[in-house]
Amino acid sequence: MTTVILHVSIVMCLMDIGQTGPIHKPIPDQSFILKGLAEDQQRRAALISDDGNGEYIKWKKLEGSFGVEFAWGSARPHIKRALRATQGEPWPLPQVYKTRETLFILNPAHFKINIDKTITNDVITDAINRYNETVFEKSIEITEENFRNAPKSEVNKEMQYDRDELGYINADYLRNLTIQVNSTCDVTSSDRSESTCDPYPSLNSTESYTLTVNSTGIVLRAEEEWGVVRGLETLSQLVTHYRGKFYIKETTVEDFPRFPTQSEVILSHQLEMCLYCQESMAMNKMNVLHWHITDDQSFPYKSEEFPDFSKKGAYNTNMVYTRDDINDVIEYARLRGIRVIPEFDVPGHTYSWGLSYPQLLTQCYYNNKPVPAFLGPLDPTNENVFKVLSKLFNEVTNVFKDRSVHLGGDEVNTDCW
């Protein structure tokens, strides 16, 4: 298989205990900064060395990066290395991304969310609860320690540290996050089937959003709940921590997906792997889980119409996806703005089908004689094949919530045809 990767108001109170009123500006405490700078200077002085024999490691500034030069005799190979790891930057790069070096402090100990009670959308509620933790637990630590520790390095001569330490000391606290959404599908799990709106993400869903961070607070605007999910992911990527505090830069983001379908194809026979993949997809703002659920090797989908498909075609009777398993995958995905499109590959990749219904597959021959158990793709001359497919896909389209089902069609071995 070829894997193709395309691709409401809320107030955050980030204040000290008992604090009310205007934004708190901390009293600068420069002692720990000055001590840190002194230690850095000592470290830099110790690292500058040359043994006098021309055998040394030297950091050199290269185009768009820094490189380490190893010099032994006439050989001077270069190894490029980025100046520093990505810190507090969104991924993938938004349509519009503007940032300034002005820093603000976020205080997780007093992170409070006020949500508009008229909005009862569970996708937004779940996303807020999720990212309330993610914003801080998965923030990147700002450091260049490994550059400073490079042996026999002159990197501290070459490298210009552009961090403004006083910018961290004098940073103001931000305590407001306002989420504004134009329209949502406000339904509960009990009335989704009767809803006039679509509670599941679809090809027509709108994921656009804008995110602004400035001295007045943080504002996230979105057309639909799916844009809120994407915007909160971006917010979590903008937060960094440094010397025990969490920071975010003044930032403006305007974003929407370049393609309506940004998918990841998986072939998995473990439920946990499906969920792990969805977490990584949400981090990368991908919106379609393309689930290659059956193949030659196994038929793990537990069909009610044809129970023998999985009973005889799965790796093991315990290695199957029940209706509850599939519902769990779909719900997990829905809360992350991800569609789940199943793929039942036909007419090829169907050997596992033949373990229960061999008459559905094409009999292969050798020297004009049929070879037992040598079976090819689904037999298009067998009318019963189309009856089985009709019943199976009628079931599948009722189990899965998306309007699309993938029929595969790839790598069909026609030798037996």
Side-chain angles (χ1 to χ4, degrees), residues 15-16 36 70 96 112 117 121 145 247 273 280 291 306 311 326 349 360:
M15 61 191 87
D16 290 337
F70 301 90
V96 176
K112 184 179 179 181
K117 295 181 179 180
N121 183 269
E145 194 63 31
Y247 295 88
M273 186 59 65
S280 65
W291 194 357
F306 304 98
K311 185 177 180 179
I326 293 171
H349 292 273
L360 298 178

Side-chain angles (χ1 to χ4, degrees), residues 78-282:
H78 291 147
I79 298 178
K80 287 188 176 183
R81 176 170 174 169
L83 182 60
R84 58 172 63 89
T86 301
Q87 301 170 348
E89 297 179 14
W91 173 264
L93 186 66
Q95 303 291 336
V96 176
Y97 172 54
K98 300 177 182 178
T99 186
R100 297 177 60 186
E101 293 302 314
T102 306
L103 292 164
F104 302 100
I105 301 175
L106 305 182
N107 191 338
H110 310 292
F111 194 97
K112 184 179 179 181
I113 298 176
N114 297 322
I115 186 170
D116 189 338
K117 295 181 179 180
T118 64
I119 297 178
T120 58
N121 183 269
D122 60 343
V123 172
I124 293 176
T125 301
D126 185 83
I128 291 170
N129 293 334
R130 214 166 55 242
Y131 284 102
N132 192 18
E133 299 178 1
T134 302
V135 164
F136 301 105
E137 289 184 358
K138 298 181 181 179
S139 62
I140 299 296
E141 180 180 6
I142 296 179
T143 177
E144 295 99 4
E145 194 63 31
N146 284 341
F147 280 96
R148 298 168 181 165
N149 291 334
K152 293 187 176 183
S153 173
E154 295 185 3
V155 64
N156 295 301
K157 285 183 178 180
E158 304 264 5
M159 187 174 173
Q160 296 297 317
Y161 290 87
D162 57 359
R163 179 184 302 139
D164 180 5
E165 298 286 355
L166 294 180
Y168 286 84
I169 296 174
N170 297 323
D172 289 334
Y173 280 85
L174 286 187
R175 53 178 181 167
N176 297 324
L177 166 62
T178 303
I179 298 181
Q180 302 170 350
V181 58
N182 289 342
S183 64
T184 62
C185 188
D186 295 338
V187 298
T188 63
S189 59
S190 61
D191 61 6
R192 287 180 194 159
S193 61
E194 300 176 1
S195 174
T196 57
C197 58
D198 193 350
Y200 293 90
S202 70
L203 184 64
N204 298 320
S205 296
T206 302
E207 299 179 33
S208 61
Y209 69 91
T210 62
L211 180 67
T212 58
V213 181
N214 54 39
S215 59
T216 62
I218 306 173
V219 178
L220 171 59
R221 298 182 178 90
E223 288 295 320
E224 298 178 355
E225 56 265 44
W226 319 115
V228 174
V229 175
R230 302 295 178 242
L232 287 174
E233 175 61 39
T234 294
L235 176 65
S236 72
Q237 297 171 356
L238 297 178
V239 178
T240 59
H241 69 271
Y242 177 59
R243 296 186 184 272
K245 294 184 178 181
F246 295 89
Y247 295 88
I248 189 170
K249 290 183 179 181
E250 182 173 335
T251 305
T252 299
V253 171
E254 297 177 18
D255 202 16
F256 57 87
R258 182 178 180 186
F259 303 102
T261 297
Q262 301 171 112
S263 66
E264 176 174 299
V265 180
I266 66 167
L267 198 167
S268 170
H269 299 293
Q270 290 183 318
L271 181 63
E272 293 80 5
M273 186 59 65
C274 292
L275 304 184
Y276 292 153
C277 286
Q278 290 181 43
E279 288 291 354
S280 65
M281 290 176 65

